[in-house]
Amino acid sequence: KQINQRPVLFMKLTSPRKVPRRTKRNIWWGANQFRQGRVPFITFINFPWMMGKVLKEVKSLAPRPENCSVLEIGPGETPLTTELPFRQTTLVDASPEIVAQLKATKEKPSTAILLGDVRSLKFSKKKTFDLAVASEVFTHVKPAERPKAILEIERNANAMLIIDRPRIPFSILRARYKLITDTAVRREYEKLVDFSYIRTFLEKRGWIVGTETVRYLKYAPAYTILKARRKKPQVTSARA
């Protein structure tokens, strides 16, 4: 018996891990998105030029990393700070899966890997780091909870480097996404970070703050790099 076969017009692309349907709005916030077995995101840090730029900014805040302790919040699967010889590196991530992966691939004995949340950084005793780095972290924190997150970083570090997508006027964002609904645009708007608030907050608390906006590709989304240093550094401790 002859069987009629239709030609295959499209090849279905599959990933090694099953990608579930994202039906809940809150999946973006916190570590929820990274607990769904999704393939890791391609972010600006995957581009060598941008990686070099960020590491240069890290060095400007910690000229002698071998004498400094660093806290990296939300490192994901590709930590930034492990590229430099810091005296002590502490990685804190809210996803148990990512923490387990980082521990499995840990290379340096001076690296501590902890499960934690940027809104509540809990250490075994009082700790002040020379530098705190948060790359694309605030976009995964709900806007109403971001002040608490920045306060936690401010409490635990003498210098900080925050990198994320800056907030732009809603009208501009709406014009950029012409083919999606207003509800979807508002969700995208919530993910953008208000760096003017962070800058004002830190300056009122005695920090020296500078910002720079960059793009890793010509038509890619803009990112803001915020560098801040405490005018009167606190004494740093040796252990977390």
Side-chain angles (χ1 to χ4, degrees):
K1 186 177 179 180
Q2 186 177 1
I3 300 176
N4 295 326
Q5 294 184 348
R6 296 181 178 179
V8 178
L9 300 179
F10 300 96
M11 181 176 66
K12 185 177 181 181
L13 298 177
T14 58
S15 63
R17 290 180 286 178
K18 184 178 179 181
V19 180
R21 287 186 65 183
R22 296 193 297 160
T23 56
K24 296 182 180 180
R25 177 184 177 185
N26 287 334
I27 198 172
W28 179 265
W29 308 113
N32 294 330
Q33 186 159 4
F34 306 100
R35 293 172 180 162
Q36 306 299 318
R38 286 177 51 79
V39 176
F41 289 112
I42 300 298
T43 62
F44 72 90
I45 214 61
N46 296 93
F47 293 84
W49 175 86
M50 195 64 184
M51 170 70 87
K53 170 69 174 176
V54 173
L55 290 178
K56 181 179 179 181
E57 300 297 346
V58 171
K59 290 180 182 178
S60 70
L61 291 170
R64 296 182 178 179
E66 64 276 4
N67 297 329
C68 298
S69 60
V70 63
L71 167 66
E72 184 171 356
I73 305 163
E77 299 176 353
T78 53
L80 290 169
T81 53
T82 54
E83 300 293 326
L84 296 174
F86 282 99
R87 173 173 55 83
Q88 181 188 9
T89 301
T90 302
L91 308 177
V92 176
D93 203 286
S95 169
E97 290 80 4
I98 288 180
V99 169
Q101 180 175 342
L102 290 174
K103 288 183 177 180
T105 58
K106 177 180 174 180
E107 297 180 355
K108 300 178 181 179
S110 60
T111 300
I113 303 169
L114 307 173
L115 180 67
D117 194 305
V118 66
R119 296 163 296 182
S120 180
L121 296 173
K122 299 178 180 179
F123 298 98
S124 57
K125 59 182 181 180
K126 186 176 179 180
K127 171 71 178 179
T128 300
F129 295 89
D130 295 295
L131 173 64
V133 178
S135 174
E136 293 188 277
V137 170
F138 280 79
T139 187
H140 293 284
V141 179
K142 292 182 178 180
E145 298 173 343
R146 288 171 186 169
K148 185 176 181 180
I150 191 64
L151 184 62
E152 282 294 290
I153 297 177
E154 191 267 345
R155 184 175 61 85
N156 285 280
N158 283 327
M160 67 176 74
L161 183 70
I162 299 175
I163 310 162
D164 227 310
R165 293 185 299 160
R167 178 163 292 182
I168 60 176
F170 182 83
S171 58
I172 296 178
L173 190 67
R174 184 69 189 90
R176 182 177 299 172
Y177 295 100
K178 296 179 180 179
L179 300 179
I180 62 177
T181 64
D182 283 348
T183 300
V185 176
R186 289 191 186 95
R187 291 177 184 175
E188 288 297 315
Y189 185 74
E190 288 179 354
K191 299 173 187 178
L192 304 179
V193 179
D194 185 0
F195 277 92
S196 62
Y197 169 82
I198 298 177
R199 179 168 192 152
T200 302
F201 175 85
L202 292 174
E203 287 177 342
K204 287 182 178 179
R205 297 178 70 87
W207 287 66
I208 303 172
V209 185
T211 58
E212 179 184 1
T213 300
V214 296
R215 296 179 187 270
Y216 56 87
L217 290 174
K218 184 176 181 180
Y219 297 105
Y223 279 84
T224 292
I225 300 176
L226 181 143
K227 296 194 305 181
R229 188 187 300 275
R230 196 188 298 271
K231 291 181 180 179
K232 297 181 180 180
Q234 300 176 358
V235 178
T236 59
S237 56
R239 290 179 172 268

